[in-house]
Amino acid sequence: MFNDQGRNRNTNTLRFSDILDEMMEDAFSWNKGTFVPELNVYETDKEFEITVALPGMSKDDINIGFENNTITISGERKLTEEDGTKYHRIESRFGKFERSLPLPNVIDEENISATYDNGVLTITVPKLKEKAGKKIEVS
């Protein structure tokens, strides 16, 4: 009447739930152990602003580079394990990551700046004044 996990075989709801959990786990196993942070990009007349969600990370674990009009953000989000702690479920993703974002050839790379606050990395990428363009009024 009970299977090897101690579940009642006659309870279809539990069994269906277990099968569904296994199917979902298999379907997403390609992504198991990887961390791909969410990235947003905003543009104004004067700059680009990039925000990256990096919850639980230290700013020392984040690297930012700019080369060939491409900004690259990389790092590693680590799972902190404590002795005596038994995890029953971990839905957060951990591991090394790298995100690259090509930008147009209007960047003032000497004045790129970054801040990290409450798990959100904000990178401000100013445009060169002479390449930022100008608005033409219609007369």
Side-chain angles (χ1 to χ4, degrees):
M1 182 182 321
F2 288 92
N3 65 16
D4 55 339
Q5 284 98 22
R7 293 192 178 105
N8 186 339
R9 290 183 186 171
N10 295 327
T11 308
N12 291 335
T13 306
L14 283 177
R15 186 157 192 213
F16 178 74
S17 174
D18 293 342
I19 292 169
L20 188 58
D21 283 348
E22 286 178 20
M23 285 179 10
M24 294 301 284
E25 196 168 318
D26 289 343
F28 294 105
S29 65
W30 63 269
N31 202 21
K32 193 178 275 185
T34 61
F35 173 51
V36 181
E38 297 172 357
L39 183 140
N40 299 305
V41 181
Y42 308 93
E43 180 181 5
T44 67
D45 291 340
K46 297 180 182 182
E47 65 190 15
F48 291 95
E49 184 173 286
I50 303 163
T51 60
V52 187
L54 299 171
M57 290 186 64
S58 163
K59 68 178 185 176
D60 297 331
D61 296 328
I62 303 166
N63 302 304
I64 305 168
F66 185 79
E67 186 175 342
N68 297 325
N69 292 319
T70 301
I71 195 153
T72 302
I73 303 118
S74 62
E76 183 173 6
R77 184 175 178 200
K78 300 174 187 171
L79 174 63
T80 305
E81 297 185 42
E82 297 178 23
D83 290 338
T85 301
K86 181 179 178 183
Y87 290 95
H88 292 278
R89 184 176 205 105
I90 299 174
E91 293 185 356
S92 299
R93 300 288 186 199
F94 298 90
K96 293 182 180 181
F97 69 89
E98 182 174 295
R99 300 289 314 261
S100 293
L101 180 68
L103 295 168
N105 189 20
V106 296
I107 304 305
D108 181 0
E109 68 180 280
E110 298 300 319
N111 291 306
I112 297 173
S113 62
T115 59
Y116 185 66
D117 187 37
N118 289 325
V120 177
L121 174 68
T122 302
I123 305 169
T124 303
V125 184
K127 297 178 182 178
L128 292 168
K129 290 178 185 173
E130 63 272 10
K131 291 188 177 182
K134 66 177 187 174
K135 187 174 180 177
I136 301 170
E137 303 245 354
V138 178
S139 55

